[in-house]
Amino acid sequence: MQLLPSGRALTAGAVAVVTLMAGGSAAGAASAPVHPATPTGTAAAAAAPDIPIANVKTHLRQLQSIATANGGNRAHGRAGYRASLDYMKAKLDAAGFTTRVQQFSASGRTGYNLTADWPGGDASQIVMAGSHLDSVASGPGINDNGSGSSAVLETALAVARSGYQPTKHLRFAWWGAEELGLVGSRYYVNSLGSAERAKISGYLNFDMIGSPNPGYFVYDDDPTIEKTFKDYFSGIGISTEIETEGDGRSDHAPFKNAGVPVGGLFSGADYRKTSAQAAKWGGTVGQPFDRCYHSSCDTTANIDDTALDRNSDAIAYAVWELSQ
Ligand code: TRP
Ligand code: CA
Ligand code: ZN
């Protein structure tokens, strides 16, 4: 925190005062700390916070416990799915989000999407970030996709902790029945009228972002969203590649098909790491990015903490950058 010459703390509300002084002739301000000039009437861009990896991992342990207590999975139509959704919803409600549970039916079982709106911002410009919350029936789904689900949750909680008030409206989402063929996200997109769909400025998708032999893949869709993620990674000195392991294989596809700008991150599934990829990212050549993809060993042990941390911070960076 900076101090004004008078000793008053520099808060967001005091920024305009400092700006006027810096641009004007305020005598005696020569020894004031240098403050970056801000165009009059425009708030300084808020910087994204660092997402605490410890918090993301706490959510992953909770999802693992939920799977363990419910037959080893968190799959569509099973008790472990509903318990996963209730865990997310309780955290979001307590943080001040407006949550909504949307029910649908798939394969004869009830499924649920969860959305969480952060009050405020321009309702005609909505930035969305989402992840699928269901696992396959054969395992607990910690990398696929507890990783994306927990990182998006922690980003939402960081919005609340920082009291962030972006220009645009923020909405976070957790999809059901992705593993049955993108059922929940397609149901959601279809449930919006075309007027509501047109208000979504961008949808950011996170499906598998802590793969144990990780790559750093950015979706090659909307150029602005893609550039935002690439800027984050170049800023921390990590090279990225375009995601090629099956375009349209996750919940961004229904949004993209409806004309919404989309983007996202991915750390790899069952494709194998090449020697060129191992040279830049480390890890094991010739092995899958996630050898436990869709299997019972997709547990809390199946996570690379560094990849999960970088991708979580990249999510926060993009949510902040794209909403102001
Ligand atoms: N969506 C797939 C799943 O959940 C994983 C996956 C494969 C994927 N290829 C992808 C996710 C490309 C994002 C991008 O099983
Ligand atoms: Ca972090
Ligand atoms: Zn997935």
Short mmCIF file of all heavy atoms in Angstrom, two decimals, residues 49-54 56 232 305-306 308-314, ligand 2:
data_model
loop_
_atom_site.label_atom_id
_atom_site.label_comp_id
_atom_site.label_asym_id
_atom_site.label_seq_id
_atom_site.Cartn_x
_atom_site.Cartn_y
_atom_site.Cartn_z
N PRO A 49 -4.92 -12.10 -8.90
CA PRO A 49 -4.18 -12.64 -7.77
C PRO A 49 -3.50 -13.96 -8.13
O PRO A 49 -3.88 -14.62 -9.10
CB PRO A 49 -5.26 -12.88 -6.72
CG PRO A 49 -6.48 -13.19 -7.53
CD PRO A 49 -6.37 -12.35 -8.79
N ASP A 50 -2.53 -14.33 -7.33
CA ASP A 50 -1.93 -15.66 -7.41
C ASP A 50 -2.92 -16.63 -6.75
O ASP A 50 -3.38 -16.39 -5.64
CB ASP A 50 -0.60 -15.63 -6.64
CG ASP A 50 0.11 -16.96 -6.70
OD1 ASP A 50 -0.29 -17.90 -5.98
OD2 ASP A 50 1.07 -17.07 -7.46
N ILE A 51 -3.27 -17.71 -7.46
CA ILE A 51 -4.19 -18.69 -6.88
C ILE A 51 -3.39 -19.66 -6.01
O ILE A 51 -2.43 -20.27 -6.49
CB ILE A 51 -4.92 -19.46 -8.01
CG1 ILE A 51 -5.75 -18.49 -8.86
CG2 ILE A 51 -5.79 -20.58 -7.44
CD1 ILE A 51 -6.84 -17.74 -8.13
N PRO A 52 -3.74 -19.78 -4.73
CA PRO A 52 -2.97 -20.67 -3.84
C PRO A 52 -3.18 -22.14 -4.22
O PRO A 52 -4.28 -22.65 -4.12
CB PRO A 52 -3.54 -20.38 -2.44
CG PRO A 52 -4.37 -19.14 -2.57
CD PRO A 52 -4.84 -19.09 -4.00
N ILE A 53 -2.10 -22.80 -4.63
CA ILE A 53 -2.19 -24.20 -5.04
C ILE A 53 -2.67 -25.08 -3.88
O ILE A 53 -3.38 -26.07 -4.10
CB ILE A 53 -0.83 -24.69 -5.61
CG1 ILE A 53 -0.92 -26.13 -6.12
CG2 ILE A 53 0.27 -24.58 -4.59
CD1 ILE A 53 -1.79 -26.33 -7.31
N ALA A 54 -2.33 -24.69 -2.65
CA ALA A 54 -2.75 -25.49 -1.48
C ALA A 54 -4.28 -25.55 -1.42
O ALA A 54 -4.86 -26.58 -1.06
CB ALA A 54 -2.18 -24.91 -0.20
N VAL A 56 -6.38 -25.26 -4.00
CA VAL A 56 -6.86 -26.10 -5.11
C VAL A 56 -6.73 -27.58 -4.72
O VAL A 56 -7.63 -28.39 -4.94
CB VAL A 56 -6.09 -25.79 -6.40
CG1 VAL A 56 -6.62 -26.63 -7.56
CG2 VAL A 56 -6.20 -24.30 -6.76
N TYR A 232 0.17 -15.05 -20.66
CA TYR A 232 0.45 -15.49 -19.28
C TYR A 232 1.66 -16.43 -19.27
O TYR A 232 2.60 -16.25 -18.50
CB TYR A 232 -0.76 -16.17 -18.63
CG TYR A 232 -0.37 -16.60 -17.24
CD1 TYR A 232 -0.30 -15.67 -16.21
CD2 TYR A 232 0.05 -17.91 -16.99
CE1 TYR A 232 0.16 -16.03 -14.96
CE2 TYR A 232 0.51 -18.27 -15.74
CZ TYR A 232 0.56 -17.33 -14.74
OH TYR A 232 1.04 -17.68 -13.51
N ASP A 305 1.69 -31.06 -9.49
CA ASP A 305 1.35 -29.83 -8.77
C ASP A 305 1.78 -28.57 -9.51
O ASP A 305 1.10 -27.55 -9.47
CB ASP A 305 2.02 -29.82 -7.39
CG ASP A 305 1.38 -30.81 -6.43
OD1 ASP A 305 0.42 -31.51 -6.81
OD2 ASP A 305 1.86 -30.88 -5.27
N THR A 306 2.93 -28.64 -10.19
CA THR A 306 3.42 -27.45 -10.90
C THR A 306 2.49 -27.09 -12.05
O THR A 306 2.14 -25.92 -12.24
CB THR A 306 4.85 -27.70 -11.42
OG1 THR A 306 5.68 -28.00 -10.29
CG2 THR A 306 5.39 -26.49 -12.14
N LEU A 308 -0.68 -27.89 -12.31
CA LEU A 308 -1.95 -27.45 -11.73
C LEU A 308 -1.84 -26.00 -11.24
O LEU A 308 -2.75 -25.19 -11.44
CB LEU A 308 -2.35 -28.37 -10.58
CG LEU A 308 -3.70 -28.07 -9.92
CD1 LEU A 308 -4.86 -28.25 -10.90
CD2 LEU A 308 -3.90 -28.96 -8.69
N ASP A 309 -0.70 -25.67 -10.64
CA ASP A 309 -0.49 -24.31 -10.12
C ASP A 309 -0.42 -23.29 -11.27
O ASP A 309 -1.10 -22.26 -11.25
CB ASP A 309 0.79 -24.28 -9.29
CG ASP A 309 0.97 -22.98 -8.54
OD1 ASP A 309 -0.01 -22.23 -8.37
OD2 ASP A 309 2.11 -22.70 -8.12
N ARG A 310 0.40 -23.58 -12.27
CA ARG A 310 0.53 -22.65 -13.40
C ARG A 310 -0.81 -22.45 -14.11
O ARG A 310 -1.18 -21.32 -14.46
CB ARG A 310 1.56 -23.18 -14.40
CG ARG A 310 2.99 -23.10 -13.89
CD ARG A 310 3.93 -23.84 -14.83
NE ARG A 310 5.32 -23.71 -14.39
CZ ARG A 310 6.29 -24.50 -14.80
NH1 ARG A 310 6.04 -25.50 -15.66
NH2 ARG A 310 7.52 -24.33 -14.37
N ASN A 311 -1.52 -23.56 -14.35
CA ASN A 311 -2.79 -23.44 -15.06
C ASN A 311 -3.84 -22.70 -14.21
O ASN A 311 -4.63 -21.93 -14.75
CB ASN A 311 -3.29 -24.82 -15.48
CG ASN A 311 -2.55 -25.35 -16.69
OD1 ASN A 311 -2.23 -24.60 -17.61
ND2 ASN A 311 -2.26 -26.64 -16.71
N SER A 312 -3.82 -22.92 -12.90
CA SER A 312 -4.76 -22.20 -12.02
C SER A 312 -4.48 -20.71 -12.08
O SER A 312 -5.41 -19.88 -12.17
CB SER A 312 -4.64 -22.71 -10.58
OG SER A 312 -4.95 -24.08 -10.49
N ASP A 313 -3.21 -20.34 -12.01
CA ASP A 313 -2.86 -18.92 -12.08
C ASP A 313 -3.21 -18.34 -13.46
O ASP A 313 -3.61 -17.18 -13.56
CB ASP A 313 -1.36 -18.73 -11.78
CG ASP A 313 -1.02 -19.06 -10.32
OD1 ASP A 313 -1.94 -19.05 -9.47
OD2 ASP A 313 0.17 -19.34 -10.03
N ALA A 314 -3.07 -19.14 -14.50
CA ALA A 314 -3.43 -18.68 -15.85
C ALA A 314 -4.94 -18.44 -15.97
O ALA A 314 -5.37 -17.51 -16.66
CB ALA A 314 -2.98 -19.71 -16.90
CA CA B 2 -0.50 -20.14 -7.74
#
